[in-house]
Amino acid sequence: GRNLYAVGGNEKATRLSGIDTKKVMFSAYTLMGVLAGFAGVLNIARQMGSQPTYGVGYEMDAIAACFIGGASAYGGTGSIGGVIIGAALCGIINQGMVIAKTPTNYQTVVKGLVLLVAVLFDVVMQMRRKGAQKKKKAEATQASAEKGGAKA
């Protein structure tokens, strides 16, 4: 878990710290493939058959669930619990639109808008964090300059 989280945050730094990033990435993609295959089998069982178009649109839900759950486009942040909450919220939104008999095209638009808001929120929060870090750094530099000036 920690190694995967580290690779997601900064692959080069993780490699330099002695973690075999190729092994971590291979393991992650292998596990992802196995779980995707298992999800496909469950989906076929639920639908009692198979069609090539059954999974169309699920990728948007998966990406939206990750962003709503707090995963960052910049990497290194997010949690499993947050993604589960994001998936639950996406499911609630989807089910609500189905119950309200919203046309499929409008459902896609609403999902896209929700995803857009989540990404914009992520970008704004990232900019605020960077601004706060710059401000702290500037204050620390100024404080150290004042201490140095008082001693002289």
Side-chain angles (χ1 to χ4, degrees):
R2 276 185 256 180
N3 290 351
L4 186 61
Y5 201 75
V7 170
N10 188 340
E11 186 177 355
K12 185 177 180 181
T14 305
R15 185 176 51 252
L16 293 173
S17 68
I19 296 172
D20 186 4
T21 56
K22 288 183 180 182
K23 181 180 173 185
V24 171
M25 294 292 279
F26 180 79
S27 300
Y29 282 115
T30 301
L31 181 62
M32 188 172 54
V34 168
L35 292 175
F38 183 64
V41 168
L42 289 178
N43 198 17
I44 289 170
R46 191 183 89 183
Q47 301 286 342
M48 293 188 290
S50 176
Q51 292 291 327
T53 58
Y54 274 164
V56 173
Y58 287 171
E59 63 279 352
M60 176 89 132
D61 291 341
I63 293 168
C66 289
F67 277 107
I68 291 170
S72 176
Y74 299 101
T77 59
S79 66
I80 294 172
V83 172
I84 290 172
I85 290 170
L89 286 173
C90 280
I92 290 168
I93 291 168
N94 287 340
Q95 198 63 26
M97 288 190 292
V98 168
I99 290 170
K101 295 185 175 123
T102 307
T104 308
N105 293 336
Y106 292 128
Q107 288 180 17
T108 305
V109 170
V110 169
K111 289 179 199 177
L113 290 174
V114 169
L115 178 59
L116 184 64
V117 167
V119 170
L120 287 174
F121 182 76
D122 176 45
V123 170
V124 168
M125 292 306 292
Q126 196 73 16
M127 289 171 60
R128 281 190 178 179
R129 277 189 216 118
K130 284 186 178 184
Q133 288 173 350
K134 283 183 180 179
K135 187 176 179 182
K136 263 187 183 178
K137 191 173 182 180
E139 288 173 356
T141 304
Q142 185 179 12
S144 65
E146 288 174 2
K147 284 182 183 179
K151 288 181 181 179

